[in-house]
């Protein structure tokens, strides 16, 4: 659907070099990278806000590299300062609508507002909205435009945890309804939680494009490897348990207990290596997960030692060298891994 | 040992005293003018058709110039705020020239382009428009000296509108013209209105440039000057008080409107 073919550009101190990727209809593509690597610049060049120096951008087979911004059918939503401050929420959502019949406009605005959950805010001005409401209205306005692709530039960065969670659910819902999204962020949790495909960006280059699982299991870049915790990144299924606040995460044959608000179904699980303790027998504390397994690798980490244990799936525990010596750990030993249900982070 | 707040209070006191002097410098002459004008003489000025006519002429010619030139000044301001081009600094400098040159010289300059021998003068005559000694000439003279106030205020207003909002509007399918009228102009409106008020006010109080282009019909500043030179301070004062009062009332009203917007 969208093909970015070898584009390069220079804008001030920022530079993009030979960026190539493809986004299919209905994809949720997340571009992940630290601040200042050119993520926003890439989005703005796709939207036509910044001219590319070389390469081509194709949308539905048509070369749009020289197309005017207003003819591209691509919306962009920023972190904040998106909404027109002099217009009400209704007027903001109605802005892209050009129908001559006021009734058509009203119908479309009401429908869109309902979809994103701002029906009761239509007469408000943007400066009276909370961060979450503000971003919902920005999304509603893009929806009303009926554009082919949504470009989201760190749309959740300035939100509190609750609003972030709600907005993520909304973005997933929009994506499931068929909307193609390209989303840039520096937050790997956000990326894992939303992406169907992730592109890792470093110093103006897109260095790795793959599924979240591949990105974190087989990191091709320092940047990805920097994220502590990506070692225990497991795909599986989440299932509610009757009469319990816990849920069950099934990976291969192994069933882990999780304390999460995530929805049942396909999901990813992340456990920080330092959240996993190792013992010679099952611990009797508050931890709900105790698995016996075989040590398959022991490697010195930047701090401490990483012990990889096969418990039906591979998990990595970070322990001190002193603990390793006192437990007498060796490759091939059978030991117990223990971690709390609340240490399991689930991303749908 | 003195505390920081004690030092601040002393500084505030000194600054308040120093700052009060220029404020007094503005208020005192005006207050003096009002206090030395009797109600009787003010009533006579109000009753004088000549005085009322000159004030009305000042008001409408300046307003006409402001409205007329705003159609040209606002697009220029937008370009200056949004586009980078060669000699932009020179253009910005040229815009300020009418503020710094003597206004009698400004009048001479305007006169030069509206005489019968000039292109504008000849074109005007073709359509039956005379500039010299005519409201059309007064409008041009007033606009010449006051247009920098509108251009500068509007330019600053457009510059303060986040460019991102205009770009977002484009991504929503709006044409650049629609973006200008629905986003840029409404968001810069407060500054434009300030510039509008300043241009109007500066234009209606213009004396030097107007007297060279049109001694007659007399605008209020020329009438006040003529009364002063012909009959003295006492005779000029009531007309001056009336003109100043009208100006003040209009400006206060416009500033209230601006604040409400």
């Amino acid at each position: 659907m969208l093909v970015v073919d070898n584009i390069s550009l220079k804008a001030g101190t920022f530079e993009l070099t030979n960026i190539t990727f493809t986004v299919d209809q209905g994809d949720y593509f997340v571009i992940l990278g630290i601040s200042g690597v050119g993520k926003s610049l890439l989005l703005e060049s796709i939207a036509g806000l910044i001219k590319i120096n070389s390469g081509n951008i194709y949308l539905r087979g048509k070369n749009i590299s020289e197309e005017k911004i207003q003819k591209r059918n691509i919306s962009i939503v920023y972190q904040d300062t998106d909404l027109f401050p002099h217009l009400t929420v209704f007027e903001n959502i109605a802005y892209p609508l050009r129908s001559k019949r006021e009734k058509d406009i009203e119908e479309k605005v009401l429908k869109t507002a309902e979809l994103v959950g701002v029906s009761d805010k239509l007469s408000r001005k943007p400066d009276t909205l909370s961060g979450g409401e503000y971003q919902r209205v920005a999304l509603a306005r893009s929806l009303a435009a009926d554009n082919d692709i949504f470009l989201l530039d760190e749309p959740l960065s300035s939100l509190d945890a609750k609003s972030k969670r709600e907005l993520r659910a909304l973005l997933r819902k929009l994506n499931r309804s068929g909307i193609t999204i390209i989303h840039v962020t520096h937050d790997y949790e956000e990326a894992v939680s939303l992406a169907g495909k992730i592109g890792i960006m470093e110093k103006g280059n897109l260095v790795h494009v793959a599924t979240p699982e591949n990105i974190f299991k087989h990191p091709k870049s320092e940047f990805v490897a920097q994220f502590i915790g990506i070692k225990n990144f497991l795909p599986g299924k989440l299932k509610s348990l009757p009469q319990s606040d816990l849920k069950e995460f099934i990976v291969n044959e192994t069933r882990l207990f999780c304390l999460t608000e995530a929805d049942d179904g396909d999901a990813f699980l992340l456990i920080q290596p330092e959240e996993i303790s190792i013992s010679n027998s099952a611990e009797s504390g508050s931890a709900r997960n105790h698995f016996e397994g075989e040590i398959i690798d022991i490697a010195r980490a930047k701090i401490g030692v990483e012990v990889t244990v096969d418990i039906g799936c591979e998990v990595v525990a970070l322990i001190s060298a002193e603990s390793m010596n006192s437990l007498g750990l060796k490759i091939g030993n059978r030991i117990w891994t223990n971690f709390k249900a609340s240490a399991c982070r689930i991303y749908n | 040992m003195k505390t920081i707040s004690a030092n601040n209070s002393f500084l505030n006191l000194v600054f308040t005293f120093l700052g009060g002097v220029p404020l007094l410098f503005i208020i005192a002459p005006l207050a003096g003018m009002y206090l030395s004008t009797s109600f009787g003489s003010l009533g006579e000025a109000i009753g004088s058709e000549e005085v009322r006519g000159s004030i009305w002429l000042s008001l409408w010619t300046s307003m006409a110039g402001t409205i007329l030139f705003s159609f040209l000044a606002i697009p220029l301001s937008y370009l200056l705020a949004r586009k980078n081009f060669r000699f932009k600094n020179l253009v910005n400098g040229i815009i300020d020239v009418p503020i710094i040159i003597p206004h009698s010289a400004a009048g001479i300059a305007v006169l030069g382009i509206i005489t019968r021998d000039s292109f504008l003068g000849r074109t005007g005559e073709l359509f039956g428009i005379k500039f010299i000694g005519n409201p059309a000439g007064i409008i041009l003279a007033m606009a010449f000296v006051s247009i920098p106030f509108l251009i500068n205020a509007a330019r600053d207003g457009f510059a303060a509108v986040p460019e991102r909002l205009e770009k977002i509007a484009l991504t929503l399918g709006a044409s650049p013209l629609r973006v200008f009228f629905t986003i840029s102009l409404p968001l810069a409106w407060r500054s434009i209105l300030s510039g509008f008020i300043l241009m109007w006010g500066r234009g209606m109080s213009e004396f030097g440039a107007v007297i060279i282009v049109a001694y007659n019909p007399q605008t209020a500043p020329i009438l006040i000057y003529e009364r002063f030179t012909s009959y003295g301070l006492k005779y000029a004062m009531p007309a001056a008080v009336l003109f100043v009062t009208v100006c003040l009332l209009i400006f206060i009203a416009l500033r209230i409107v601006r604040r409400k917007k």
Side-chain angles (χ1 to χ4, degrees):
Chain A
M1 182 194 193
L2 178 83
V3 177
V4 174
D5 181 21
N6 209 23
I7 65 166
S8 298
L9 71 92
K10 198 164 191 270
T13 53
F14 288 101
E15 205 171 351
L16 298 182
T17 323
N18 304 326
I19 305 266
T20 297
F21 64 90
T22 304
V23 179
D24 293 325
Q25 171 76 46
D27 267 2
Y28 201 122
F29 183 51
V30 173
I31 298 168
L32 179 63
I34 55 170
S35 299
V37 293
K39 304 187 298 289
S40 300
L41 199 64
L42 176 57
L43 280 198
E44 292 192 336
S45 66
I46 295 169
L49 307 181
I50 294 172
K51 286 208 163 191
I52 53 174
N53 297 133
S54 64
N56 289 298
I57 301 168
Y58 299 92
L59 183 63
R60 297 187 190 282
K62 184 186 170 197
N63 191 339
I64 58 162
S65 314
E66 298 293 323
E67 190 69 276
K68 286 177 181 171
I69 302 168
Q70 62 270 31
K71 302 273 182 201
R72 289 197 182 205
N73 283 336
I74 295 176
S75 301
I76 190 160
V77 173
Y78 289 97
Q79 180 180 337
D80 45 24
T81 67
D82 270 34
L83 299 179
F84 306 133
H86 58 302
L87 303 181
T88 62
V89 168
F90 184 98
E91 290 162 339
N92 263 282
I93 300 173
Y95 190 82
L97 304 174
R98 305 303 300 276
S99 169
K100 282 182 182 150
R101 290 184 61 211
E102 269 189 31
K103 203 181 166 200
D104 291 347
I105 292 178
E106 195 179 332
E107 262 175 32
K108 177 89 177 176
V109 171
L110 293 179
K111 194 177 151 197
T112 315
E114 196 182 338
L115 183 68
V116 302
V118 292
S119 300
D120 56 336
K121 310 280 184 300
L122 291 173
S123 59
R124 301 252 297 262
K125 281 282 182 74
D127 60 359
T128 66
L129 301 174
S130 71
E133 290 163 354
Y134 193 97
Q135 288 303 69
R136 281 169 188 273
V137 176
L139 286 169
R141 192 179 55 186
S142 292
L143 276 173
D146 275 335
N147 280 342
D148 291 327
I149 294 188
F150 277 25
L151 306 178
L152 312 179
D153 188 0
E154 306 258 7
L156 313 178
S157 295
S158 54
L159 303 182
D160 58 62
K162 183 172 173 279
S163 303
K164 253 184 202 177
R165 204 165 51 241
E166 290 168 355
L167 252 290
R168 278 182 193 170
L170 175 63
L171 289 173
R172 276 194 290 271
K173 182 173 146 191
L174 296 178
N175 180 235
R176 276 198 298 270
S177 73
I179 290 164
T180 310
I181 297 176
I182 303 179
H183 175 146
V184 305
T185 181
H186 63 272
D187 182 345
Y188 80 98
E189 289 194 5
E190 198 170 300
V192 171
S193 150
L194 293 165
K197 200 159 69 175
I198 293 179
I200 301 294
M201 203 155 172
E202 277 186 343
K203 295 175 190 162
N205 289 294
L206 206 57
V207 293
H208 190 184
V209 178
T211 61
E213 190 181 350
N214 274 331
I215 288 273
F216 292 113
K217 282 225 160 180
H218 310 289
K220 277 189 188 170
S221 78
E222 277 277 312
F223 169 69
V224 178
Q226 275 170 13
F227 291 129
I228 298 172
I230 60 167
K231 294 213 160 59
N232 298 318
F233 182 78
L234 307 166
K237 267 195 189 312
L238 188 69
K239 200 176 145 192
S240 295
L241 291 172
Q243 294 164 346
S244 171
D245 57 346
L246 294 176
K247 290 193 175 191
E248 195 176 48
F249 187 81
I250 306 157
V251 46
N252 300 333
E253 298 290 302
T254 312
R255 290 162 186 271
L256 296 90
F257 291 111
C258 310
L259 187 61
T260 177
E261 287 180 334
D263 299 329
D264 286 4
D266 290 335
F268 294 104
L269 176 141
L270 267 175
I271 316 170
Q272 304 277 21
E274 59 269 30
E275 302 270 14
I276 300 175
S277 70
I278 285 177
S279 56
N280 284 321
S281 58
E283 285 176 352
S284 57
S286 64
R288 298 290 297 116
N289 291 296
H290 310 281
F291 296 96
E292 192 183 16
E294 184 184 331
I295 297 176
I296 54 172
D297 192 25
I298 296 175
R300 188 162 290 281
K302 203 171 172 185
I303 311 166
V305 179
E306 283 177 354
V307 180
T308 308
V309 185
D310 183 359
I311 58 167
C313 55
E314 288 178 17
V315 292
V316 178
L318 180 69
I319 61 171
S320 66
E322 199 178 312
S323 298
M324 188 185 75
N325 292 333
S326 71
L327 290 167
L329 302 183
K330 281 185 187 141
I331 292 175
N333 282 9
R334 290 196 72 76
I335 46 99
W336 283 82
T337 56
N338 315 281
F339 48 94
K340 293 169 76 172
S342 59
C344 298
R345 277 184 282 169
I346 302 290
Y347 304 102
N348 288 112
Chain B
M1 200 173 87
K2 280 180 183 174
T3 63
I4 290 172
S5 105
N7 279 333
N8 270 347
S9 325
F10 177 70
L11 190 71
N12 287 343
L13 198 69
V14 172
F15 278 17
T16 306
F17 177 74
L18 291 174
V21 175
L23 206 59
L24 202 65
F25 180 63
I26 295 169
I27 295 168
L30 290 172
M33 193 167 74
Y34 275 90
L35 292 173
S36 55
T37 305
S38 67
F39 281 112
S41 59
L42 192 61
E44 270 176 38
I46 294 169
S48 159
E49 203 170 309
E50 192 187 18
V51 172
R52 288 203 316 268
S54 71
I55 291 174
W56 173 238
L57 180 67
S58 298
L59 293 177
W60 83 256
T61 47
S62 184
M63 178 55 86
T66 304
I67 292 173
L68 205 65
F69 278 88
S70 63
F71 287 104
L72 309 168
I74 291 171
L76 173 63
S77 308
Y78 184 74
L79 284 180
L80 289 170
R82 280 289 178 259
K83 305 289 173 196
N84 284 317
F85 50 87
R86 276 182 85 183
F87 307 121
K88 185 174 167 179
N89 283 339
L90 181 67
V91 173
N92 276 322
I94 289 169
I95 286 162
D96 286 337
V97 166
I99 297 175
I100 54 155
I101 62 170
H103 285 187
S104 49
I108 300 281
V110 173
L111 190 62
I113 61 159
I114 58 173
T115 55
R116 284 180 178 176
D117 303 331
S118 69
F119 171 75
L120 196 63
R122 281 201 306 273
T123 314
E125 270 194 9
L126 281 177
F127 295 95
I129 302 169
K130 285 182 182 171
F131 290 104
I132 300 167
N134 198 282
I138 297 173
I139 288 170
L140 288 183
M142 284 176 169
F144 182 85
V145 296
S146 59
I147 200 167
F149 294 99
L150 176 57
I151 295 175
N152 288 337
R155 182 193 56 211
D156 294 347
F158 284 125
V161 175
E163 213 172 337
R164 179 182 276 186
L165 291 178
E166 294 172 351
K167 288 181 171 178
I168 287 171
L170 287 171
T171 67
L172 295 169
S175 66
L177 194 67
R178 182 169 177 237
V179 173
F180 177 77
F181 281 111
T182 57
I183 306 297
S184 321
L185 198 60
L187 288 175
W189 183 241
R190 212 175 264 267
S191 299
I192 294 171
L193 190 62
S194 280
F196 198 90
I197 296 168
L198 281 172
M199 182 175 172
W200 186 30
R202 184 65 198 83
M204 77 168 84
S205 59
E206 177 55 22
F207 172 75
V210 174
I211 199 168
I212 288 180
V213 174
Y215 191 87
N216 280 302
Q218 283 184 342
T219 59
I222 295 173
L223 179 115
I224 293 164
Y225 172 73
E226 196 199 50
R227 288 196 167 195
F228 173 66
T229 50
S230 305
Y231 308 107
L233 188 62
K234 206 174 174 186
Y235 193 62
M237 199 82 90
V241 166
L242 188 60
F243 186 49
V244 169
T245 307
V246 171
C247 291
L248 285 177
L249 288 176
I250 290 170
F251 287 134
I252 290 166
L254 283 173
R255 287 190 90 89
I256 291 169
V257 170
R258 179 185 169 273
R259 204 175 297 164
K260 280 187 178 168
K261 288 218 169 199

